[in-house]
Amino acid sequence: MPSSRSKHLLPGFGLTMGISLFYVTLVILLPIAAMLLKLAGMGLPEFWRIISSRRALAAYQITFSSAFYATLINGTVGLLLAWVLTRYRFPGRRILDALVDLPFALPTAVAGLVLVTLFADTGWYGQFLEPNGLKINYTQAGIVLAMAFTSIPFVVRAVQPVLEEVDESLESAAETLGANRWQIFTRIIWPTIMPAFIGGCVLSFARSLGEFGAVVFIAGNLPGLTEIVSLLIFIRLDEYNYEAAAALAFVLLVVAFLTLAATNALAAWQTRYVERSA
């Protein structure tokens, strides 16, 4: 149990809470409030007309489906990466571990330019893919890859510390009792890491929904084909149509909020289930 002294290493509760609330208000609440004020200035019919237009619906379909596919990729590859980094020791492990965080440090516009170059018809990957009918640039596949690249660290960094805390003596005991590797994973490891895995996947999905810089270069930005919601919001802002931009942004905000809320509820249920089973 932490001592009472450790609670007072920083200035008192009033000051620290005040600074925290001021920062949250300045960075999060005020921008959201400004968006809501823009929405309040339009009627419900106008709001519905904007968010249900044919172009907006196409942008939703492209954005949400691409984010979903990117999350499937990140869930699979991210879990494998976390497993390799946690369970094995090999030359270059530290380098691989550092590379996982590269999408966080790399400007997303730079990532988009790199991907476009790699998958161009003369690029390292494109020169082999395009002759075989696999075109990535200016297609939804490119959007998925860009989203997956920028959001995969969320899955790895969510699962990795939990995997490190798994009690390996339980695995050894299960193996002694005759359990195979699949049974050990599904009965012991997976219930422990599942809340973190789901949380990482949801963060990856939410990050993909709002991705702009990496996608805008590789998508081609064709309305109805490869135009994402973030780009449509940018276009409306460029047209000084702030109400339409706010309406579209509100849709993304609601979807991200509901996704996070559902995941938190699922994680809480999973935690109670594991505690009852223990």
Side-chain angles (χ1 to χ4, degrees), residues 248-260:
L248 295 168
F250 180 75
V251 173
L252 286 186
L253 178 66
V254 169
V255 172
F257 178 80
L258 292 177
T259 304
L260 291 173

Side-chain angles (χ1 to χ4, degrees), residues 30 37 45 70 98 118 129 154 176 207:
L30 282 180
L37 285 175
L118 288 175
L129 295 176
F154 287 104
T176 302
R207 176 69 179 84

